């Protein structure tokens, strides 16, 4: 997995940054977040002096993970003015899925690199706009995944950045042409120490035969994690939530770890 520069954990420090982040996977951003919810922005407050984030009061439409909050912080400028390349402005009445991290000051923050999903607003066009068919399909799939994780009571937080060392994508090529009725499968890898796989469980699978094959493949995968460019050692047990996604139909269908 590519390392993501998550600026939301330093919402209240000063300075200028170049925005450098790749879209995180759904399972990735869910597990790393302390708060996940379908929210509506109801009020925003001006940035305080030397702060790169502004406070926003929210209405929770549906809580998927974490505690009930009345407000969050947004990395950007409340006046929609020029700031850094990572600044975002979210207007009042905007409805979105917020993936928020708790910082050292106890504030929950979101930013451009958080994996926000807007439900009635386009950050690109900076206005409310209709979504295309593909966008709606991705939105519906993400909401379905969130509802599944909520129903399975997946509430733990793990901010380790995992990186696969094996060739999972090649193993998944064996499923080309498979016919399935479900669009995704979710699996939990339990590590003992230093990324040695202890067990794998199905959170929400496709069907028994496919799940058994996928678990067999996942049991042979190798994982690691890097911090500041250096491989790190994890001396304790950890968990990785991984999603496998089904696309296409007939001979053109396939499974992938990528969220397309």
């Amino acid at each position: 997995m590519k390392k993501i520069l998550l600026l939301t954990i330093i919402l209240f420090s000063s300075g200028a940054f170049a925005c450098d982040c790749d879209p995180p996977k759904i399972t990735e951003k869910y597990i790393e977040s302390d708060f996940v919810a379908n929210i509506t922005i109801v009020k925003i407050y001006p940035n305080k002096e030397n702060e790169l984030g502004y406070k926003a009061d929210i209405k929770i439409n549906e809580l998927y993970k974490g505690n009930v909050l009345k407000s969050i912080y947004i990395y950007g400028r409340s006046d929609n003015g020029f700031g850094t390349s990572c600044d975002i402005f979210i207007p009042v009445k905007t409805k979105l899925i917020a993936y928020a991290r708790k910082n050292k000051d106890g504030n929950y923050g979101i930013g451009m690199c958080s994996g926000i999903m807007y439900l009635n607003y386009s950050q690109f066009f900076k206005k409310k706009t209709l979504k295309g068919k593909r966008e709606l399909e991705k939105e519906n799939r993400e909401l379905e995944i969130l509802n599944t994780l909520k129903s399975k009571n997946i509430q733990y937080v793990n901010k380790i950045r995992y990186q696969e060392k094996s060739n999972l994508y090649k193993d998944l090529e064996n499923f080309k042409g498979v016919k399935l009725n479900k669009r995704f499968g979710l699996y939990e890898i339990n590590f003992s120490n230093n990324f040695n796989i202890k067990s794998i469980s199905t959170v929400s699978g496709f069907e028994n035969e496919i799940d058994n094959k996928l678990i067999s493949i996942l049991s042979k995968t190798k994982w690691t994690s890097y911090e500041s460019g250096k491989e790190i050692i994890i001396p304790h047990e950890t968990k990785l939530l991984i999603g496998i996604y089904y696309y296409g139909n007939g001979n053109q269908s396939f499974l992938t770890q990528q969220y397309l």
Side-chain angles (χ1 to χ4, degrees):
M1 298 181 184
K2 294 182 179 179
K3 187 177 181 181
I4 297 173
L5 180 61
L6 288 166
L7 297 174
T8 55
I9 60 173
I10 50 174
L11 280 172
F12 313 111
S13 61
S14 61
F17 306 90
C19 199
D20 179 21
C21 58
D22 295 320
K25 295 181 176 67
I26 295 174
T27 51
E28 200 173 78
K29 61 187 180 181
Y30 183 89
I31 291 303
E32 293 176 5
S33 297
D34 299 281
F35 171 83
V36 182
N38 178 329
I39 66 170
T40 301
I41 303 295
V42 296
K43 183 179 180 179
I44 58 178
Y45 298 85
N47 295 67
K48 292 184 179 180
E49 186 177 1
N50 296 325
E51 286 191 347
L52 299 180
Y54 60 93
K55 181 181 175 181
D57 289 342
I58 63 173
K59 172 190 173 186
I60 297 178
N61 305 310
E62 182 164 6
L63 179 65
Y64 298 105
K65 180 183 181 182
N67 299 320
V68 173
L69 301 178
K70 294 183 178 180
S71 62
I72 59 174
Y73 284 80
I74 301 170
Y75 179 82
R77 290 177 57 91
S78 60
D79 60 1
N80 200 19
F82 178 79
T84 75
S85 60
C86 280
D87 279 3
I88 59 173
F89 170 70
I90 306 180
V92 170
K93 297 184 180 180
T94 300
K95 188 176 178 182
L96 66 146
I97 302 297
Y99 295 86
R101 282 188 167 202
K102 188 177 181 179
N103 70 4
K104 62 183 180 180
D105 297 321
N107 297 310
Y108 293 78
I110 61 174
M112 184 176 288
C113 299
S114 305
I116 294 168
M117 182 171 73
Y118 293 94
L119 299 176
N120 68 341
Y121 176 77
S122 168
Q123 180 66 21
F124 180 78
F125 293 106
K126 297 189 181 300
K127 64 179 182 179
K128 292 185 178 180
T129 184
L130 295 177
K131 294 185 177 183
K133 181 179 179 181
R134 185 176 179 182
E135 287 181 293
L136 287 173
E137 287 177 351
K138 290 186 70 173
E139 178 182 303
N140 290 334
R141 187 192 299 246
E142 185 159 341
L143 291 173
E144 186 179 351
I145 291 171
L146 289 175
N147 282 318
T148 299
L149 293 172
K150 179 181 178 179
S151 69
K152 299 296 183 178
N153 196 32
I154 306 297
Q155 295 289 312
Y156 64 88
V157 178
N158 185 355
K159 298 180 181 179
I160 296 173
R161 307 296 309 174
Y162 296 92
Q163 182 171 322
E164 187 206 347
K165 297 170 66 176
S166 47
N167 295 311
L168 177 57
Y169 74 96
K170 287 187 176 180
D171 292 323
L172 293 178
E173 289 179 354
N174 295 321
F175 293 92
K176 283 185 177 179
V178 67
K179 295 181 180 179
L180 299 173
N181 295 320
K182 193 177 175 187
R183 299 187 293 176
F184 63 87
L186 302 172
Y187 307 89
E188 191 175 75
I189 301 178
N190 295 277
F191 298 101
S192 52
N193 63 296
N194 202 23
F195 302 105
N196 295 312
I197 295 177
K198 181 179 180 181
S199 64
I200 301 175
S201 58
T202 301
V203 176
S204 180
F206 293 103
E207 54 187 53
N208 288 338
E209 182 180 354
I210 298 296
D211 293 331
N212 290 337
K213 290 180 179 179
L214 287 172
I215 288 176
S216 178
I217 289 172
L218 290 172
S219 67
K220 300 172 185 177
T221 55
K222 304 294 182 181
W223 301 86
T224 188
S225 182
Y226 289 88
E227 188 173 295
S228 300
K230 295 182 179 181
E231 191 170 11
I232 62 174
I233 296 176
I234 304 297
H236 53 79
E237 294 187 359
T238 62
K239 293 181 181 180
L240 165 64
L241 184 65
I242 184 171
I244 305 294
Y245 307 102
Y246 174 67
Y247 294 97
N249 54 69
N251 295 329
Q252 303 298 317
S253 62
F254 60 96
L255 292 179
T256 177
Q257 193 189 349
Q258 303 302 314
Y259 194 73
L260 306 176

